[in-house]
Amino acid sequence: MKKLLLTLITLSLTFLNASDLKLFENLKGTLNIAGGTAHIKCEKEAIKNIMRKYPDITISIAGGGSGIGIKQVSSKIIDLANSGRKPTQKEIENGDLKLFRFAIDGIGIVVNPKLNIDSLTTKQLQDIFSGKITNFKKLGLSNAPINLYTRDESSATRKVFWKKALKKSPISNKARVVSSNAAMKTAISKDVNGIGIISLGVANDSVKLLSINGVKPTVENINNDSYNVARGLYLLSSGEPSKLASAYISYLRSSEGAKIVSKYGFIPVNE
């Protein structure tokens, strides 16, 4: 994060020119992508642009979580993995992984818009997610049970939140587990007593993002490092990426790709 400002300043010097789809000229074939779910909505727009221009190219994308994506690309089941965390050194070595970061994403605390709360402290978050606080009355609200939601253990969203927001405090095994950021958004939007975690790039007006210790989860605050519950979004290949995979990575890191990345609430990077 400390290098983020310098990275953003240099973006205009490193991004490709406006004809970025020309990266795919003379290419054809299939590209299979899976893993982290925060990336999906953003990448679907990029994929739509590519496949509309080049019908001989087919690109599929699926979720499963960052851990699943890392395992699948390491086994060459897929061509590229999406990951919301940097792989461990062991994972890199075992899968001969090559890392390509194209965005930075914040992770937010999310509640139903009807809930009359705007901010939580680190201590309150630790007590809620550990199961010590189970009723909103303890937070100064009406008497109602807290319905806690989390992601499965293969999720990078969960791992980064646990490390940076909870300071490695435990997460209750009574929390309801959902399979993706999109599923989290749906669950919280339908549950007035729900609290969960979500990629900022996925959140919309159907849910409410909370401040942590009074700091709002905005792109500006991620950029100035005052909100540090954030992570890189990576594309991973096993060994050197194919020509088609390489073109796809370059497109997401191009000027046109940066516009798509920014549109979905992420911070574009090219390093």
Side-chain angles (χ1 to χ4, degrees), residues 9 13 27 42 70-71 73 115 118 134 160 173 184 206 213 241 243 245 254 267 269 271:
I9 290 170
L13 300 177
L27 294 178
C42 164
I70 290 171
K71 290 179 181 177
V73 78
L115 195 63
D118 296 305
T134 59
V160 174
N173 58 16
M184 180 69 74
S206 69
N213 300 317
K243 289 183 179 180
S254 71
I267 299 171
V269 296
E271 60 178 26

Side-chain angles (χ1 to χ4, degrees), residues 14-177:
T14 54
F15 280 140
L16 300 172
N17 61 36
S19 58
D20 297 321
L21 281 172
K22 288 186 177 180
L23 287 160
F24 297 93
E25 282 188 350
N26 303 316
L27 294 178
K28 61 182 179 179
T30 301
L31 188 65
N32 295 311
I33 307 167
T37 63
H39 312 52
I40 290 178
K41 195 171 182 179
C42 164
E43 288 188 60
K44 277 186 174 180
E45 181 165 332
I47 291 167
K48 184 179 179 180
N49 291 347
I50 297 163
M51 291 176 59
R52 183 190 296 122
K53 179 77 171 177
Y54 298 99
D56 288 337
I57 295 174
T58 300
I59 305 175
S60 67
I61 187 167
S66 297
I68 298 298
I70 290 171
K71 290 179 181 177
Q72 289 184 340
V73 78
S74 297
S75 300
K76 301 188 184 297
I77 296 171
I78 56 176
D79 303 297
L80 290 174
N82 280 323
S83 180
R85 64 173 174 86
K86 188 174 182 179
T88 65
Q89 189 59 38
K90 184 177 180 180
E91 286 172 330
I92 292 171
E93 292 173 358
N94 288 345
D96 188 23
L97 299 180
K98 308 298 181 186
L99 284 61
F100 306 91
R101 189 172 74 149
F102 69 92
I104 290 173
D105 176 32
I107 297 169
I109 312 302
V110 66
V111 298
N112 188 280
K114 294 180 181 179
L115 195 63
N116 187 27
I117 190 170
D118 296 305
S119 183
L120 291 168
T121 66
T122 297
K123 182 62 166 60
Q124 286 173 324
L125 284 174
Q126 290 173 331
D127 288 347
I128 291 167
F129 277 84
S130 68
K132 184 176 180 180
I133 292 178
T134 59
N135 195 293
F136 284 107
K137 189 174 182 180
K138 293 286 187 178
L139 302 175
L141 302 177
S142 301
N143 181 18
I146 293 173
N147 296 330
L148 184 62
Y149 292 82
T150 188
R151 297 286 306 284
D152 62 82
E153 293 187 2
S154 71
S155 163
T157 301
R158 172 177 170 142
K159 283 184 171 68
V160 174
F161 173 77
W162 169 75
K163 181 179 179 180
K164 294 189 174 183
L166 297 183
K167 312 300 181 186
K168 299 186 178 182
S169 176
I171 296 177
S172 172
N173 58 16
K174 294 182 179 180
R176 306 176 188 190
V177 177

Side-chain angles (χ1 to χ4, degrees), residues 157-265:
T157 301
R158 172 177 170 142
K159 283 184 171 68
V160 174
F161 173 77
W162 169 75
K163 181 179 179 180
K164 294 189 174 183
L166 297 183
K167 312 300 181 186
K168 299 186 178 182
S169 176
I171 296 177
S172 172
N173 58 16
K174 294 182 179 180
R176 306 176 188 190
V177 177
V178 295
S179 61
S180 68
N181 281 286
M184 180 69 74
K185 182 172 61 177
T186 299
I188 298 298
S189 69
K190 293 180 178 179
D191 188 348
V192 71
N193 295 325
I195 291 182
I197 56 176
I198 200 169
S199 158
L200 298 190
V202 176
N204 60 20
D205 291 341
S206 69
V207 293
K208 182 198 287 188
L209 287 164
L210 301 186
S211 299
I212 298 178
N213 300 317
V215 181
K216 294 181 179 180
T218 63
V219 169
E220 180 181 2
N221 286 337
I222 293 170
N223 190 13
N224 65 31
D225 222 16
S226 59
Y227 188 91
N228 67 353
V229 188
R231 39 72 181 280
L233 297 184
Y234 296 87
L235 285 164
L236 312 175
S237 66
S238 179
E240 293 300 327
S242 67
K243 289 183 179 180
L244 182 54
S246 182
Y248 181 79
I249 293 164
S250 295
Y251 181 66
L252 281 179
R253 299 167 105 183
S254 71
S255 57
E256 188 172 325
K259 290 176 184 177
I260 298 171
V261 167
S262 298
K263 176 181 175 179
Y264 289 96

